[in-house]
Amino acid sequence: MRRSDPDGVLCARLIHEDCSEKRFAQLEAELETYRTRCIAAQQTIAALGDKLQGRERPQVKALREQAATLSNALLQARSNAAVAQQNSERLQDAAKRYAQREQAYGTLRDRTDKAGVFVRLLRGTAGVSLQRYILGVMLSAITNEANRLLERVHDGRYQIFRTLETTGKVHKAGLELEVLDRRSEGRRSVASLSGGEKFLVALVLSMGLSAVVQAQSGSIRLGAIFIDEGFGTLDEESMNDALHVLAAMQSAHGMVGLISHVALLRENIPTGIQVQKTRRGSSLTMTV
């Protein structure tokens, strides 16, 4: 047996160790397994050698550098992903706040729209405003009181009424006045009245206004009223009618003061104060 023969070496070692027959059989089985593995490994090496024929040896250093670069890129990508996640969470919180504000805005918008409708009704954008409506009601009450006094003027020839027509570019529906002339049985604008007639109409309207104010404010009572000028434009008949109206005003207010230079008034109203101008100044004279 040659020294290089592994079987001879193994057998010599077994004899030296005085192994038992059972141990010897076990070692032979292990040896056979080892031989089989060696043959399989040699076959694998041969097969891999055939496959590697004509191929270049890989550049391990370059591959390691590439792996390091990819590893750094992976770390950077993970960092960017973390930042993107934080941004996404912030955007989600912002979206929730926006949704809450949008809901609150919708509620406020509904209230604003309702308030806008109410405001347009008050302004009368599509019709008569509330303010103009109330003024129209007041004006009706004033004209009713004035018409009672107009029955004493020119034998009740004139009556005052509200008109619902619109004048010019400004809507004044319900606040314009027109006069019913019983002689012509037609209505016309108060602008068509003469100067004296306008004075009488203005006089009875002021009386009607004071009566309505006192009626709606029980704690307010006008104890006196003063009228300045306007009588000089009246003819004798209109003057007498005006005096009848003033008499009615006196019964309502207690005292009516007239400021005028018309002599006919001095004759019909004896009680008063006359003012006389002189070079040295003015003097007052009481007449009773």
Side-chain angles (χ1 to χ4, degrees):
M1 182 179 298
R2 291 177 298 179
R3 297 181 60 182
S4 59
D5 186 358
D7 296 341
V9 176
L10 181 59
C11 291
R13 186 177 299 172
L14 291 173
I15 295 172
H16 178 72
E17 292 178 357
D18 193 16
C19 296
S20 63
E21 184 178 353
K22 183 178 179 180
R23 177 63 178 166
F24 183 77
Q26 180 181 1
L27 292 175
E28 279 187 343
E30 293 178 357
L31 179 60
E32 186 65 23
T33 301
Y34 173 75
R35 289 175 177 174
T36 302
R37 291 180 178 177
C38 286
I39 293 171
Q42 291 174 357
Q43 292 175 353
T44 301
I45 292 172
L48 292 176
D50 293 339
K51 291 182 178 180
L52 293 176
Q53 288 294 330
R55 294 188 179 184
E56 295 182 359
R57 185 180 183 84
Q59 302 294 328
V60 178
K61 181 178 181 181
L63 292 176
R64 288 178 178 175
E65 292 177 353
Q66 184 178 3
T69 302
L70 293 176
S71 178
N72 294 332
L74 177 61
L75 293 176
Q76 184 63 39
R78 289 176 177 175
S79 177
N80 294 338
V83 173
Q85 180 65 26
Q86 294 177 354
N87 293 335
S88 176
E89 292 176 355
R90 285 197 297 268
L91 290 176
Q92 289 177 359
D93 294 338
K96 292 180 181 179
R97 292 194 300 270
Y98 174 78
Q100 294 173 353
R101 292 182 180 180
E102 185 178 19
Q103 183 178 4
Y105 171 78
T107 303
L108 183 60
R109 180 60 183 268
D110 293 339
R111 294 173 56 187
T112 303
D113 291 341
K114 293 178 180 179
V117 172
F118 181 70
V119 169
R120 287 191 292 272
L121 289 176
L122 290 180
R123 290 180 177 177
T125 304
V128 179
S129 65
L130 179 61
Q131 179 183 11
R132 193 170 300 281
Y133 175 79
I134 294 175
L135 290 176
V137 173
M138 292 289 294
L139 184 57
S140 294
I142 293 172
T143 55
N144 290 336
E145 292 293 332
N147 284 332
R148 296 179 183 178
L149 296 175
L150 279 177
E151 293 177 357
R152 305 181 184 183
V153 178
H154 296 308
D155 297 327
R157 175 181 175 181
Y158 300 112
Q159 291 287 293
I160 305 174
F161 296 94
R162 288 172 54 202
T163 177
L164 299 179
E165 295 180 358
T166 303
T167 303
K169 296 182 179 180
V170 181
H171 290 262
K172 296 183 178 180
L175 297 183
E176 292 291 327
L177 294 176
E178 58 184 7
V179 176
L180 171 62
D181 190 343
R182 297 189 184 279
R183 291 184 182 178
S184 62
E185 294 297 334
R187 293 190 180 189
R188 53 194 173 95
S189 173
V190 292
S192 63
L193 296 176
S194 63
E197 292 170 337
K198 288 181 181 179
F199 174 76
L200 291 174
V201 170
L203 186 61
V204 296
L205 284 175
S206 63
M207 274 297 301
L209 175 60
S210 63
V212 171
V213 170
Q214 293 182 82
Q216 295 188 356
S217 303
S219 60
I220 298 177
R221 179 172 178 79
L222 301 178
I225 186 171
F226 288 88
I227 301 174
D228 185 8
E229 288 299 338
F231 297 94
T233 60
L234 302 180
D235 54 26
E236 185 175 355
E237 181 181 2
S238 298
M239 183 71 72
N240 291 328
D241 291 334
L243 291 175
H244 287 299
V245 173
L246 292 174
M249 294 175 66
Q250 184 179 8
S251 62
H253 295 281
M255 183 180 70
V256 177
L258 303 179
I259 303 174
S260 179
H261 62 280
V262 178
L264 183 59
L265 291 177
R266 292 199 301 268
E267 297 174 358
N268 289 275
I269 306 176
T271 304
I273 301 174
Q274 293 185 1
V275 180
Q276 295 179 350
K277 294 182 180 181
T278 63
R279 292 182 179 180
R280 296 180 180 180
S282 299
S283 61
L284 303 178
T285 303
M286 295 290 298
T287 59
V288 180

